[in-house]
């Protein structure tokens, strides 16, 4: 005996409802789930199966991303362990020989007065200056070897007293050396006296900052980068800064470039498809640069307070390609988030309708409901976010 089947267009052939069940018009089964909602078809055939023997279609959460490679799971950027530049233990700052300038001035005036007395005793002082100074006029008696010797000693003393005067300024220091040997450093301000025989080198000990030019580097993927850093530093040991290296400023700049190349090569500039550590963490990169540069600069008497990257960007030759890759990664992440929220919303809606007994659905009706809800929610979400 032939069993009649339901051949409603758009529906698979299947058995008719059992006897005694209320017949349901075909048109009623095709009414849109959300009235007044105009939806458009999207390629969602991958979410549904047409096999009538399959169980209820339950929306599944989005699959978890694959585990990142071992290189991406590296610890946050840190200064590589490497022996620092050794410092000369015998070369350290110490106080140099210095006297207050007022003492030297008084001594020079006394020597000048002694020289004038020698000249007056030899009768070389003219009558008019002598009367002005209320001194008796003495006839010329000749200089003699003794007077010449006293004048020579007085001249040398005057050169020593007034030639050693210097003005100390705030934020500067002198490094003193004699015949190539370090004699000490002077950090005093105001009028001071130092031996004229000592060689003086002025060193700036103020807190200084240096902003680098864009320097080339590469990340862990070998992508060319351009980085700009800001270094805050000062001279802590004037002896090492002046004598341990030819130019401590040039040394510091070269060490900044070397440290930046070592630190930036540990991590990629961007992680497009996972949440691995990247060079966009400016605080971690700055801390690693500071630790590394501080250890390298200690040997030349420089104290580094902070090294912060102000800009890390791709080199011009790869900037356009990396920008497109970043936009594509952001778009894929956005689509994945939207799809996950839509699937969760559909799951919650179907679960509430069936749990409260508002509808009784068979397998086919559940698939149709899930499909219509997914299309409606996805279209509505996309339109709202597009606005």
């Amino acid at each position: 005996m032939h069993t009649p089947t339901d051949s409603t267009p758009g529906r698979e052939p299947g058995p008719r409802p059992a006897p005694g069940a209320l017949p349901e018009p075909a048109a009623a089964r095709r009414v849109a789930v959300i009235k007044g909602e105009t939806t458009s078809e999207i390629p969602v055939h991958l979410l549904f199966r047409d096999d009538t023997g399959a169980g209820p279609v339950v929306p599944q959460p989005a699959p978890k991303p694959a585990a990142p490679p071992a290189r991406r799971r590296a610890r946050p950027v840190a200064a590589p362990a490497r022996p620092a530049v050794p410092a000369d233990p015998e070369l350290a700052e110490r106080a140099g020989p210095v006297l207050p300038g007022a003492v030297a001035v008084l001594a020079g005036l006394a020597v000048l007065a002694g020289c004038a007395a020698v000249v007056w005793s030899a009768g070389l002082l003219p009558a008019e200056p002598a009367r002005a100074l209320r001194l008796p006029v003495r006839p010329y008696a000749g200089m003699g070897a003794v007077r010449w010797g006293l004048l020579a000693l007085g001249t040398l003393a005057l050169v020593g007293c007034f030639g050693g005067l210097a003005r100390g300024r705030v934020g500067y220091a002198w490094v003193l050396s004699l015949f190539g040997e370090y004699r000490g450093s002077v950090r005093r301000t105001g009028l001071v006296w130092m031996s004229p025989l000592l060689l003086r080198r002025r060193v700036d000990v103020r807190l200084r900052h240096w902003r680098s030019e864009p320097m080339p580097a590469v990340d862990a993927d070998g992508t060319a980068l351009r980085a700009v850093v800001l270094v805050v530093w000062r001279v802590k040991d004037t002896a090492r800064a002046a004598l341990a290296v030819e130019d401590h400023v040039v040394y510091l700049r070269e060490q900044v470039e070397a440290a930046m190349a070592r630190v930036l090569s540990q991590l990629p500039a961007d992680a497009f498809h996972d949440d691995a550590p990247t060079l966009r963490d400016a605080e971690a990169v700055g801390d690693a640069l500071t630790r590394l540069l501080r250890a390298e600069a200690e040997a030349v008497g420089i104290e580094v307070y902070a090294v912060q990257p102000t800009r890390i960007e791709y080199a011009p030759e790869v900037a356009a390609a990396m920008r497109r890759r970043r936009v594509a990664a952001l778009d894929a992440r956005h689509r994945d988030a939207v799809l996950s929220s839509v699937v969760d919303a559909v799951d919650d809606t179907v679960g509430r309708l069936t749990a409260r007994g508002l509808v009784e659905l068979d397998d086919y009706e559940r698939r149709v409901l899930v499909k219509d809800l997914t299309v409606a929610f996805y279209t509505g979400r996309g339109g709202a976010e597009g606005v």
Side-chain angles (χ1 to χ4, degrees):
M1 183 176 183
H2 179 68
T3 302
T5 59
D6 186 3
S7 58
T8 304
R11 179 173 177 177
E12 297 178 353
R16 290 186 177 180
L22 294 177
E24 183 179 3
R29 299 176 63 86
R30 302 302 300 169
V31 176
V33 177
I34 302 177
K35 295 183 178 181
E37 179 73 19
T38 302
T39 60
S40 58
E41 293 292 336
I42 63 173
V44 295
H45 60 277
L46 296 178
L47 300 176
F48 310 99
R49 297 179 58 186
D50 295 330
D51 187 4
T52 57
V57 178
V58 180
Q60 298 295 330
K64 296 183 179 180
R71 176 173 53 78
R72 296 295 178 87
R73 293 177 301 191
R75 66 182 187 276
V77 62
R82 190 177 67 88
V85 179
D88 187 359
E90 298 181 357
L91 187 61
E93 180 179 338
R94 63 177 183 270
V98 63
L99 292 175
V103 176
V105 171
L106 293 177
L109 293 178
V111 172
L112 184 60
C115 293
V118 171
V119 172
W120 172 77
S121 64
L124 295 177
L125 189 64
E128 292 298 332
R131 293 190 184 94
L133 295 174
R134 297 181 179 181
L135 296 175
V137 179
R138 295 178 61 89
Y140 176 72
M143 289 292 296
V146 176
R147 290 189 176 92
W148 280 114
L150 293 175
L151 285 178
L153 292 177
T155 302
L156 291 178
L158 286 175
V159 172
C161 291
F162 293 107
L165 292 176
R167 182 171 61 92
R169 298 173 56 186
V170 177
Y172 292 90
W174 281 289
V175 177
L176 308 179
S177 61
L178 180 62
F179 305 119
E181 183 181 359
Y182 175 62
R183 290 297 185 178
S185 301
V186 177
R187 290 177 177 263
R188 297 181 60 174
T189 58
L191 187 63
V192 296
W193 180 88
M194 295 170 286
S195 174
L197 300 178
L198 297 174
L199 178 63
R200 311 172 190 176
R201 297 184 183 181
R202 186 184 292 272
V203 179
D204 189 348
V205 296
R206 296 174 297 178
L207 187 66
R208 304 168 67 181
H209 68 278
W210 173 64
R211 182 185 177 92
S212 70
E213 298 293 332
M215 293 181 289
V218 295
D219 65 356
D221 296 331
T223 307
L225 303 175
R226 292 291 186 273
V228 178
V229 296
L230 178 66
V231 185
V232 181
W233 62 281
R234 73 177 180 91
V235 173
K236 182 180 180 181
D237 192 313
T238 56
R240 292 178 180 177
L243 304 177
V245 68
E246 182 178 359
D247 191 334
H248 62 277
V249 177
V250 175
Y251 174 85
L252 178 64
R253 294 182 179 181
E254 293 177 351
Q255 287 295 335
V256 168
E257 186 173 0
M260 186 186 64
R262 291 173 57 189
V263 172
L264 297 188
S265 61
Q266 298 182 56
L267 293 177
D270 289 294
F272 296 102
H273 301 291
D274 52 16
D275 295 330
T278 66
L279 297 178
R280 300 303 175 186
D281 189 353
E283 184 176 358
V285 174
D287 291 343
L289 286 173
T290 302
R291 290 193 300 269
L292 182 58
L293 189 60
R294 183 177 296 163
E296 299 292 342
E298 185 178 1
V300 296
I302 295 177
E303 184 177 9
V304 177
Y305 289 97
V307 183
Q308 292 297 329
T310 59
R311 186 170 72 250
I312 298 178
E313 58 187 11
Y314 292 105
E317 58 269 19
V318 298
M322 288 301 174
R323 189 178 299 111
R324 290 193 297 268
R325 185 178 178 185
R326 184 184 303 171
V327 171
L330 292 176
D331 184 67
R333 191 172 301 176
H334 169 73
R335 290 177 181 274
D336 181 70
V338 171
L339 183 59
S340 299
S341 63
V342 168
V343 171
D344 293 340
V346 171
D347 185 19
D348 182 67
T349 302
V350 174
R352 289 187 178 184
L353 290 175
T354 55
R356 297 181 182 181
L358 299 179
V359 293
E360 294 182 0
L361 305 173
D362 57 15
D363 296 343
Y364 174 79
E365 292 169 339
R366 182 183 294 272
R367 288 197 300 271
V368 172
L369 178 61
V370 169
K371 181 177 180 179
D372 291 343
L373 286 176
T374 302
V375 173
F377 288 171
Y378 196 93
T379 305
R381 184 67 58 86
E385 293 180 356
V387 177

